[in-house]
């Protein structure tokens, strides 16, 4: 693949790109979907040149079209095709494997954008965002608390304080009072201070990753513009100038979450020492210092919560100013307080020995209770918003956000419990030398088997529904291929593929049942731990044999499953670090999960759209300004979502010069249902009215793409009739070999794609576009008329 200078094959003396006069040139801008592709494949030419962009995201042309803007109109062979390649935004070097550990943060960030559509409820909308941000803050505290549990409680406090465990792990010998002979580091406070470097380093790593991606993603400014009067009636925030520029919010949340992590470590170290100093016979001076330290920690926690609650996103303008020095210096203040805590805990104390567990149960119990209450209140707020403007297509009747927030909390709990359980099993080889992790984590692990049984039941119901749908689809296949369905196996495969693709629409019910079960089981685990203060097996000892056996089985199986899940996660992350293909698979997951800006959690994987959408917007704006021409944005799968987002960011005067061709698009099927406030029917309908024309292609065998389903009289139809898949049932003259079932891929192989593309490109003439309701300018009928697909 050839490369040219960033501004194209020719430039001015100062290195800038030439600015030709208006020529009415037409452009076809191709945007690929999830998983990415190469510019050679997109442009169907082995020789391509990069005309703008870098190694992360760039626009390519065919080598023969590199100077197309300079050619006279009579020497151009139709529209100029360009390919926007953005796959490296989500799949790159080995450090991307670390993003697997940020999965709960990514999920809770999605919950922020799942707000229902509403009218006139600005304060309630702000409350919704505030509650999600608080849930995100609790996940940060939970992650750091889990690291403290492993490093401080299990390793430094329990294992190093037990002779048998310390002798079995020689690397802990210098921390053991008996093994080291009373060495300097063997005092409990010094052991805790040294072990606290592990969660401190974890917090620093999260801060560094967020800062690095903040500079690479959130700092990409959109096209500067002022809102035009015509935008006042737009029913989505995606058209606001500052929507894809979250630099200030992410910086503010990063400061607050980093400080929260450091304060969590300080509380884990300082509370243990302060609790000992309050016992009879302790030092009065140290007791006073302990009280002052805890008071300062509470004040720091209040400051963090205040910063998180104080302000949300600013989207109506570019928010270039950063927050006051107090917010920016909050992590530094927390770091100084942590150092003072280390000094306080490391002071020599008489009679202080490590016994039992550190107070982990109250910490994890308070976090679980707070998360449950926040999710319940969030559900009430979401339901209130939904009632103001009901949308029957919205997932879970507006409760998708709270349900996904609950799943984020469950993921955080599973990861926290998994690492604690595995570390405890590794340190305590005999199972009797140390007390082990907090009782609540064991209860939470014990509810995993019942939850898995419920998921298996749901999978069985989905399989039964798919089987019924497949039987019904066989008759539809026979009608679509009349006189050809002589191969029952072929018919069954086509029908089964359609039935499996239709299961995507059942996802809201699965998420609803899973979230509700997780909330109820989590509440039961919290109640069991608080009431009995014993593990499930010990708590049921003496009861009915069946109850005790079930509790023992759930406890053992849950511990094994939660540990296995964590080990698999780490192993997959390690493999992704070394293997580019595995890393690319992770990138595909983030293509779907990280489209949205980081509005609820600063440590979530970065939003690639904050780079991709400004890229597309800048490219469209500069093309129309330089040439006076119009263009078609051709987007596949996730590329169609980027295309729609870029079109919303254009001024209305430029938006009218844009035509959309989407295929395999999840705009309504996924985004419209799960994110109704931004991709609901009103938003998609307004986009259709504002662009020059829009056509959408989909297949019944596609599990991701689907129709746009614009309600009412919206002008020319957007959706074409479903494309046939496969193109031919048996062997024909055009398909001498069996035609594959394409599903979500290779829409260009269908003749209908070329037909719709030709019709849209025919509208891009140097003069005024053809009326939207008249015959096609090329004589092929109205733009919305159906054309046989094969």
């Amino acid at each position: 693949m050839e490369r040219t200078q960033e501004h194209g094959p020719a430039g001015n003396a100062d290195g800038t790109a030439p600015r030709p006069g208006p020529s009415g040139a037409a452009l076809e801008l191709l945007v690929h979907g999830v998983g990415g592709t190469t510019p050679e494949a997109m442009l169907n030419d082995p020789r391509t040149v990069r005309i703008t962009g870098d190694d992360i995201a760039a626009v390519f042309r065919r080598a023969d079209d590199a100077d197309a803007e300079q050619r006279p109109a009579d020497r151009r062979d139709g529209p100029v095709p360009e390919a926007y390649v953005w796959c490296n935004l989500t799949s790159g070097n080995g450090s991307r494997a670390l993003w697997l550990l940020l999965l709960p943060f990514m999920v809770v960030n999605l919950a922020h954008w799942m707000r229902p559509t509403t009218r006139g409820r600005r304060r309630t909308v702000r409350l919704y965002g505030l509650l999600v941000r608080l849930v995100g803050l609790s996940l940060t505290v939970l992650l750091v608390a889990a690291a403290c549990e492993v490093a401080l409680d299990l390793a430094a406090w329990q294992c190093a304080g037990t002779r048998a465990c310390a002798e079995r792990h020689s690397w802990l010998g210098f921390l053991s009072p008996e093994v080291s002979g009373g060495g300097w580091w063997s005092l409990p406070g010094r052991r805790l201070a040294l072990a606290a470097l592990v969660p401190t380093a974890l917090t620093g790593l999260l801060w560094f990753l967020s800062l690095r991606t903040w500079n690479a993603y959130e700092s990409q400014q959109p096209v500067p513009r002022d809102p035009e009067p015509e935008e006042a009636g737009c029913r989505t925030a995606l058209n606001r100038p500052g929507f894809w520029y979250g630099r200030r919010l992410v910086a503010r949340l990063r400061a607050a979450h980093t400080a929260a992590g450091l304060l969590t470590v300080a509380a884990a170290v300082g509370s243990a020492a302060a609790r000992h100093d309050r016992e009879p016979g302790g030092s009065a001076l140290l007791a006073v210092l302990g009280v002052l330290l805890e008071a300062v920690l509470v004040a720091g926690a209040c400051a963090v919560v205040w910063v998180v609650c104080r302000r949300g996103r600013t989207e109506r303008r570019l928010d270039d100013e950063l927050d006051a020095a107090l917010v920016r210096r909050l992590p530094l203040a927390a770091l100084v307080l942590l150092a003072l805590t280390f000094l306080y805990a490391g002071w020599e104390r008489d009679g202080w020995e490590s016994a039992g567990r550190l107070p982990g149960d109250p910490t994890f119990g308070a976090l679980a209770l707070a998360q449950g209450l926040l999710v319940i209140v969030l559900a009430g707020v979401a339901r209130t918003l939904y009632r103001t403007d009901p949308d029957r297509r919205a997932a879970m009747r507006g409760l998708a956000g709270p349900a996904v927030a609950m799943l984020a909390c469950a993921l955080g709990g599973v990861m926290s419990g998994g690492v604690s359980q595995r570390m405890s099993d590794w340190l305590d080889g005999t199972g009797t030398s140390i007390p082990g992790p907090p009782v609540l984590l064991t209860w939470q692990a014990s509810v995993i088997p019942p939850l898995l049984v419920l998921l298996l039941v749901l999978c069985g119901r989905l399989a039964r529904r798919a089987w019924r749908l497949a039987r019904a689809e066989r008759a539809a296949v026979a009608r679509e291929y009349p006189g050809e369905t002589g191969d029952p196996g072929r018919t069954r495969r086509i029908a089964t593929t359609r039935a499996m693709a239709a299961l995507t629409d059942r996802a809201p019910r699965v998420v609803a049942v899973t979230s509700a079960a997780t909330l109820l089981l989590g509440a039961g685990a919290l109640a069991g731990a608080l009431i009995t203060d014993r593990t499930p097996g010990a708590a049921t000892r003496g009861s009915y044999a069946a109850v005790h056996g079930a509790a023992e089985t759930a406890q053992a199986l849950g511990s094994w499953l939660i540990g296995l899940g964590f080990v698999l996660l780490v192993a997959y992350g390690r493999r992704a670090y070394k293997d580019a293909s595995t890393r690319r698979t992770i990138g595909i997951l983030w293509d779907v999960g990280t489209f949205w800006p980081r509005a609820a959690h600063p440590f979530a994987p970065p939003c690639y759209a904050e780079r991709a959408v400004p890229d597309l917007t800048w490219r469209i704006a500069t093309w129309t300004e330089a040439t006076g021409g119009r263009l078609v944005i051709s987007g596949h799968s996730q590329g169609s979502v980027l295309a729609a987002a870029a079109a919303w960011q254009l001024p209305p005067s430029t938006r009218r010069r844009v035509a959309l061709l989407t295929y395999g698009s999840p705009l309504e099927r996924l985004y419209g249902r799960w994110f109704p406030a931004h991709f609901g029917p009103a938003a998609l309908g307004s986009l259709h009215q504002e662009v020059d024309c829009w056509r959408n292609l989909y297949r019944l065998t596609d599990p991701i793409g689907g129709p746009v389903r614009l309600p009412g009289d919206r002008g020319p139809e957007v959706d074409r009739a479903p494309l046939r898949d496969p193109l031919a049932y048996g062997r024909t003259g055009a398909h001498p070999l069996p035609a594959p079932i394409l599903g979500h891929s290779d829409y260009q192989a269908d003749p209908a794609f070329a037909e719709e593309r030709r019709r849209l490109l025919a509208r891009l003439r140097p003069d005024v576009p053809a009326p939207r309701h008249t015959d096609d300018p090329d004589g092929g009928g109205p733009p919305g008329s159906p054309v046989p697909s094969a």
Side-chain angles (χ1 to χ4, degrees), residues 54-55 84 154 168 179 191 201 204 243 299 469 493 512 526 535 552 589:
D54 52 25
D55 292 335
Y84 178 65
L154 295 177
R168 192 162 48 247
V179 175
R191 275 188 273 149
F243 187 89
L469 288 175
R493 284 191 297 272
L526 178 60
T535 62
E552 288 280 2
L589 297 177

Side-chain angles (χ1 to χ4, degrees), residues 6 37 222 303 365 395 419 433 523 548 605 681 688 700 736 754 761:
E6 285 296 299
T37 184
V419 65
S433 60
H548 179 64
H688 179 221
L700 297 179
L761 293 177

Side-chain angles (χ1 to χ4, degrees), residues 1-4 6 50 52-60 84-93 96 611 615:
M1 179 174 59
E2 299 179 7
R3 295 292 178 98
T4 68
E6 285 296 299
R50 184 176 66 193
T52 186
D54 52 25
D55 292 335
I56 299 177
V59 174
F60 294 84
Y84 178 65
V85 180
W86 55 274
C87 53
N88 284 335
L89 286 171
T90 53
S91 57
N93 56 37
R96 304 295 173 90
R611 165 69 190 270
D615 281 356

Side-chain angles (χ1 to χ4, degrees), residues 194-438:
L194 182 62
L197 295 178
V198 174
T200 303
L202 174 63
T203 305
L205 176 62
L206 294 175
W207 171 85
F208 171 75
L209 291 176
S210 179
L211 178 64
R212 190 179 69 171
T213 55
W214 177 72
N215 291 327
Y217 290 80
E218 277 84 8
S219 60
Q220 302 294 322
Q221 290 196 13
V223 175
R225 65 181 179 89
D226 296 325
E228 299 187 19
E230 297 180 40
E231 298 180 80
C234 188
R235 295 293 303 277
T236 179
L238 292 171
N239 74 316
R240 295 174 181 171
F243 187 89
W244 300 107
Y245 190 69
R247 191 166 182 261
R248 182 176 186 177
L249 175 65
V250 176
R252 180 168 63 251
L253 290 180
R254 182 177 67 248
H257 283 245
T258 303
L262 296 175
L263 291 176
T264 301
V265 180
V269 176
S271 61
R275 187 175 65 256
H276 171 76
D277 293 336
R278 286 194 295 268
E279 295 178 354
S283 170
L285 176 61
L286 291 177
V288 172
L289 290 177
V291 173
L292 292 176
L293 176 64
E294 291 180 331
V296 174
L297 289 175
V298 171
C302 293
V304 168
V305 174
W306 175 80
V307 170
V308 172
C309 297
R310 177 171 171 262
R311 187 178 180 184
R313 286 173 54 85
T314 301
E315 299 170 348
R316 298 186 182 277
R317 59 182 176 85
L318 289 181
D319 200 359
D320 293 321
E321 299 179 2
L322 294 180
D323 287 293
L326 175 63
V327 176
R328 299 201 305 270
R329 294 174 183 173
L330 190 59
L332 180 60
L335 187 60
V336 172
L337 182 58
L338 178 61
L340 294 177
T341 303
F342 287 169
L343 181 62
Y344 164 73
W347 204 263
E348 187 171 355
R349 294 170 172 82
D350 295 331
W352 190 17
E353 298 179 355
S354 57
R357 301 186 182 96
L358 289 177
D361 274 315
T363 301
F364 289 103
L367 284 173
L369 180 61
Q371 289 177 344
L373 292 177
L374 285 172
V375 169
I376 293 174
V377 175
L378 183 65
V381 173
R383 191 62 183 173
T384 301
L385 292 174
Y386 177 80
R387 289 175 178 174
T388 63
D389 190 11
D391 178 8
R392 299 188 64 182
R393 287 286 297 172
M396 300 173 56
R397 297 296 190 267
L399 296 179
V404 169
M406 186 69 250
L407 293 182
C409 296
L411 284 172
V414 167
M415 295 178 66
S416 302
V419 65
S420 301
Q421 194 67 51
R422 286 305 94 203
M423 189 67 178
S424 176
D425 293 344
W426 178 60
L427 291 174
D428 190 12
T430 61
T432 57
S433 60
I434 62 176

